Amino acid sequence: MNQRLRDLYSHVSVHATADREHEAAVELLLLVMMADRHISSVELDEIRAISDDSGWETDTFSFDQYAGQATAVVRAALADGTVEALLDSIDERITNGVLRAALFSAARDVAGADHAVHEQENELLAQVAARFD
């Protein structure tokens, strides 16, 4: 029975890993927003709302405090052509099954928040769907 419980809960984040997963999720959503090389306040507000609505805001994690660092990570990946490596990193850090299942929908909401889904965003959404949906 213990092995069965371990298997069942092996992909549920605990408090210690939740911040790392939320950081990765924010990086993913910012990557979707910035895929068209445009920062939209509407899309940024959508990411903030997703963070709030999803309960990511805690004593140890805040979207507003992490957004600057995450933006730098995403910009570097876009500039260096290392988006695939960033997606690999995000994929590795997010083990919570519920969060993984919700990411494609959240990414699609971010891409559509400004009512204009660009080709680059669609290409990235396809990659997100393949990894997280």
Side-chain angles (χ1 to χ4, degrees):
M1 185 65 162
N2 286 339
Q3 183 60 42
R4 185 170 177 224
L5 285 174
R6 255 185 252 122
D7 292 343
L8 182 64
Y9 288 103
S10 66
H11 295 294
V12 175
S13 66
V14 293
H15 184 69
T17 62
D19 288 351
R20 185 177 63 138
E21 288 184 316
H22 298 154
E23 289 171 359
V26 167
E27 290 169 16
L28 179 68
L29 298 178
L30 287 171
L31 180 60
V32 170
M33 178 186 76
M34 295 170 64
D36 62 357
R37 306 297 200 266
H38 178 71
I39 295 178
S40 160
S41 61
V42 174
E43 289 173 325
L44 196 56
D45 288 344
E46 182 66 22
I47 298 169
R48 183 176 287 109
I50 289 167
S51 179
D52 287 340
D53 294 346
S54 299
W56 300 349
E57 299 291 317
T58 65
D59 291 341
T60 58
F61 179 83
S62 165
F63 168 76
D64 288 323
Q65 289 180 344
Y66 187 66
Q69 182 179 343
T71 299
V73 168
V74 170
R75 280 189 174 148
L78 289 168
D80 299 349
T82 57
V83 170
E84 193 70 30
L86 177 57
L87 286 171
D88 289 343
S89 171
I90 291 167
D91 194 1
E92 290 171 6
R93 287 181 283 157
I94 299 176
T95 59
N96 179 308
V98 174
L99 179 57
R100 289 183 70 82
L103 279 177
F104 176 71
S105 178
R108 192 179 56 223
D109 289 348
V110 170
D114 62 357
H115 306 291
V117 179
H118 299 283
E119 181 179 338
Q120 301 94 329
E121 290 170 322
N122 272 326
E123 290 172 7
L124 187 57
L125 285 173
Q127 290 179 309
V128 171
R131 288 176 183 259
F132 297 101
D133 194 30

